[in-house]
Amino acid sequence: MIIGITGSSSVLGFALKETFKNFKVVNFTGDICKKKDINSWLGENNLNAIIHLAAIVPIEKVNKNRYKAKKINFYGTKNLVDCVKKTFKNSKIWFFYASTSHIYKFSKKKINEKFKPNPISFYGKTKLMSENYIKKNEKNINYCIGRIFSFTSIKQKKSFLVPGLVKKLKD
């Protein structure tokens, strides 16, 4: 099994690489916004699966540069899907897309997949756009969309939960 990971330098990407020690993992190190980089990566590796994590995630970064966030979060995903369709047109590759709970509005009720998406942030909008594009191309891709609600690690920047708590406790 050969697994390709975009966004492999992220905290989640690092955790997955550690988990997949029994598999061959091929990290995407190019620019997700350049089809040439994606096509090279796909052409050089005989991938069985792709885990797509590449994105601008922190809300403050997304809000500071919405153009860049949309370029990476949506158009980067679109580029990847388009290249995967072209490269694997005769065989379906398994494709995991890391989405977010931000595609839902706040609710006091438990949220499940049957809830209608209503993004609460620009970040959520870019991720929902990507989900819709992947679904539109489902006949070419065996996909799974994971809407991640919470993930934290001491390795994240101080604006995230665990590092923030550690800092508060130390102060």
Side-chain angles (χ1 to χ4, degrees):
M1 171 78 64
I2 304 172
I3 302 169
I5 301 179
T6 69
S8 61
S9 63
S10 67
V11 174
L12 183 54
F14 181 79
L16 288 175
K17 286 188 294 188
E18 290 292 307
T19 303
F20 296 147
K21 284 184 177 178
N22 294 331
F23 300 105
K24 180 177 179 187
V25 174
V26 181
N27 302 322
F28 176 72
T29 57
D31 183 340
I32 199 71
C33 297
K34 294 182 179 176
K35 285 188 176 184
K36 180 182 172 188
D37 289 358
I38 298 168
N39 282 323
S40 274
W41 180 63
L42 295 174
E44 293 167 6
N45 300 288
N46 189 20
L47 302 176
N48 302 107
I50 294 173
I51 298 174
H52 179 42
L53 307 174
I56 295 179
V57 177
I59 299 298
E60 63 275 2
K61 279 189 175 182
V62 170
N63 289 338
K64 281 183 184 177
N65 194 339
R66 288 178 173 221
Y67 171 79
K68 185 176 180 181
K70 186 174 182 180
K71 182 178 176 185
I72 292 170
N73 295 2
F74 173 67
Y75 288 107
T77 299
K78 180 185 181 303
N79 287 343
L80 181 59
V81 168
D82 291 347
C83 292
V84 165
K85 280 181 5 186
K86 180 180 172 188
T87 302
F88 298 96
K89 60 185 162 200
N90 296 323
S91 64
K92 286 189 175 185
I93 186 168
W94 190 78
F95 184 93
F96 177 83
Y97 176 67
S99 190
T100 179
S101 62
H102 286 251
I103 67 153
Y104 300 113
K105 67 180 182 177
F106 289 112
S107 175
K108 292 183 180 183
K109 298 177 184 178
K110 285 185 179 181
I111 295 173
N112 64 44
E113 291 178 347
K114 293 179 182 173
F115 271 59
K116 183 179 177 185
N118 186 1
I120 60 172
S121 64
F122 188 75
Y123 167 66
K125 288 177 184 176
T126 65
K127 298 300 264 185
L128 183 59
M129 288 169 59
S130 295
E131 282 190 25
N132 291 334
Y133 192 77
I134 292 166
K135 290 175 185 176
K136 185 174 122 180
N137 290 279
E138 71 179 305
K139 65 183 171 222
N140 301 91
I141 298 172
N142 184 18
Y143 71 90
C144 175
I145 295 172
R147 293 177 179 156
I148 300 169
F149 276 67
S150 184
F151 181 82
T152 190
S153 165
I154 192 65
K155 295 179 181 180
Q156 288 175 309
K157 294 181 180 176
K158 63 183 176 184
S159 61
F160 288 87
L161 178 65
V162 171
L165 287 173
V166 169
K167 183 181 180 329
K168 291 277 186 195
L169 292 170
K170 284 181 179 178
D171 291 347

